[in-house]
Amino acid sequence: MSAPERALARVDLGAIERNCAHLRSLLADGAELCAVVKADGYGHGAVWVAKASLAGGASWLAVATAGEAEDLRRHGLAGRILVMGALTREEQRLAREAEADVVAWTPDVEGDRLHIKLDTGMGRLGEKDWDEALRLAGGDRVMGLMTHFATADEPGDDYFPAQLERFREFVDAVGRDDLLVHAANSAATFRDRAAHFDLVRCGIAIYGMDPFGEDPAERGLEPALSLQSWVAAVRRFEPGESAGYGRRWAASRPTWVATVPIGYGDGWRRGLTNDCDVLIGGRRHPVVGAVSMDNVTVDLGGETDVSVGDEVVLIGRQGNERILAEEVARRLDTINYEITCGLSTRVRRLHAR
Ligand SMILES: Cc1ncc(COP(=O)(O)O)c(C=O)c1O
């Protein structure tokens, strides 16, 4: 099989739709799904993901910035949008123009529909002071109450239940049944139905990545994004001949080396130097030598039937093999979120069902 261009991210919108439908099927009675599409839909393309999520049963969209909300509106998304991040005055005005709901934790946030955020332990944004948060929650433009968990993805820890308990007490103390109450991210959605309240805000899971960094299939999720490139050159290396900057790898035996035109300029990080595999012809092959801005080199072994033009899969399936974003993340000592968010704009996204 051949690849159409040097670096391409295919996004399976059907997978996003099915992941949303699956998440909805897990929700406590009456709870709705908010699809988190900030950071250009975790690198997948926010507008496409938003549409697929709504088709899969999400009823809200969430973003971090006013510009992201504006962009969704410009592309015809008419439903409820929640802007979750900190907003300057000017950004508050933009969010209002986009008719978005906004998250507030101080009295200075202007907006027609506010969601009051209690900081129950994340320690970033949100009102920490109980009385002040209660005061804010009494406002007549208040539509929702929310919090955000710090450790929902660490099963068995006791911080998550403590945050949940504090939030539940807050909701009870506010005592308004006209408000939309929400707290759960993807991990909390899987972890505890008691965290579902009226709405769950799922990001990573709608993309088919696992919030716990494990195999998404174990939680019924299908990865939506695959990343591919192609074999641009295949060359014979004799022992001692090196590939790439700094001679970070040299052949220890006669072998064949493929050059694949994708690199850290595309978001395939330099930390993967001598430390990742790619799929060619349905088999795993190690990346050898330094990842450079535009290329990587791959050891094909002493005998190979790989030829110029062959498809290379860096994330996704080929034949019976697959490479998950979770695997790439582990090698980089990071999280799957950073792998897809980090794919640069130079990588074209191709959306299909
Ligand atoms: C406030 C808030 N809620 C929900 C989410 C979605 O989290 P996840 O992608 O882990 O589901 C995020 C993303 O970081 C967030 O910042």
Side-chain angles (χ1 to χ4, degrees):
M1 221 198 304
S2 70
E5 59 202 86
R6 60 176 296 281
L8 179 70
R10 293 183 184 274
V11 179
D12 179 350
L13 298 171
I16 290 175
E17 219 175 290
R18 289 187 290 278
N19 291 329
C20 287
H22 175 56
L23 287 163
R24 278 209 55 187
S25 75
L26 303 176
L27 297 187
D29 276 354
E32 294 184 46
L33 174 64
C34 172
V36 178
V37 300
K38 61 192 171 129
D40 200 22
Y42 292 35
H44 293 63
V47 171
W48 292 92
V49 170
K51 290 180 181 166
S53 301
L54 295 173
S59 46
W60 280 74
L61 301 170
V63 291
T65 74
E68 289 173 332
E70 206 186 7
D71 200 44
L72 293 176
R73 291 291 187 231
R74 215 179 15 250
H75 287 88
L77 287 141
R80 302 299 288 271
I81 298 177
L82 176 65
V83 179
M84 303 189 295
L87 301 172
T88 63
R89 277 253 167 265
E90 176 59 15
E91 288 163 344
Q92 288 175 29
R93 193 183 59 71
L94 286 179
R96 205 170 192 163
E97 273 173 23
E99 295 181 11
D101 289 33
V102 297
V103 175
W105 51 88
T106 70
D108 336 308
V109 178
E110 303 262 323
D112 299 324
R113 292 191 298 268
L114 304 177
H115 296 237
I116 303 303
K117 183 172 194 174
L118 178 72
D119 180 6
T120 55
M122 177 61 110
R124 299 186 311 194
L125 302 171
E127 178 54 67
K128 278 171 88 166
D129 183 84
W130 184 270
D131 293 333
E132 187 51 34
L134 277 180
R135 231 183 331 274
L136 289 171
D140 56 2
R141 288 173 301 133
V142 174
M143 298 289 146
L145 302 177
M146 68 177 287
T147 195
H148 192 39
F149 296 114
T151 60
D153 59 344
E154 296 171 27
D157 85 302
D158 52 13
Y159 199 74
F160 166 77
Q163 276 197 269
L164 178 56
E165 189 48 35
R166 184 160 167 81
F167 183 59
R168 207 200 319 262
E169 284 167 12
F170 176 66
V171 172
D172 288 346
V174 172
R176 284 177 61 172
D177 55 14
D178 59 328
L179 301 183
L180 190 77
V181 176
H182 47 106
N185 56 2
S186 300
T189 300
F190 284 110
R191 186 165 161 180
D192 191 347
R193 283 165 68 87
H196 293 181
F197 297 100
D198 299 321
L199 184 75
V200 298
R201 306 185 304 266
C202 293
I204 197 79
I206 70 171
Y207 305 99
M209 291 185 283
D210 186 67
F212 303 94
E214 291 164 5
D215 183 345
E218 285 168 20
R219 290 187 179 79
L221 300 171
E222 275 178 71
L225 182 141
S226 57
L227 178 65
Q228 65 177 79
S229 182
W230 66 294
V231 173
V234 177
R235 284 147 1 116
R236 183 79 176 162
F237 274 50
E238 299 304 328
E241 287 187 314
S242 63
Y245 287 115
R247 308 195 68 213
R248 300 280 294 274
W249 174 86
S252 56
R253 64 198 192 303
T255 192
W256 292 93
V257 173
T259 303
V260 178
I262 189 167
Y264 64 77
D266 304 287
W268 196 251
R269 303 239 310 264
R270 195 164 181 279
L272 294 165
T273 292
N274 284 324
D275 189 22
C276 69
D277 291 335
V278 299
L279 307 179
I280 309 175
R283 289 211 306 274
R284 278 180 179 261
H285 300 277
V287 163
V288 291
V291 172
S292 54
M293 192 182 295
D294 314 312
N295 294 287
V296 296
T297 37
V298 177
D299 188 358
L300 302 171
E303 308 244 319
T304 187
D305 52 7
V306 170
S307 41
V308 169
D310 284 2
E311 180 194 77
V312 178
V313 169
L314 296 99
I315 298 173
R317 277 187 185 283
Q318 200 187 50
N320 295 325
E321 273 287 355
R322 59 173 194 166
I323 294 175
L324 293 169
E326 286 75 9
E327 172 185 330
V328 182
R330 240 184 332 271
R331 290 176 185 272
L332 287 164
D333 198 18
T334 183
I335 51 177
N336 40 13
Y337 300 67
E338 204 185 11
I339 302 305
T340 59
C341 283
L343 296 177
S344 73
T345 52
R346 193 164 79 172
V347 178
R348 186 165 74 92
R349 272 62 166 180
L350 181 63
H351 298 90
R353 262 215 159 59

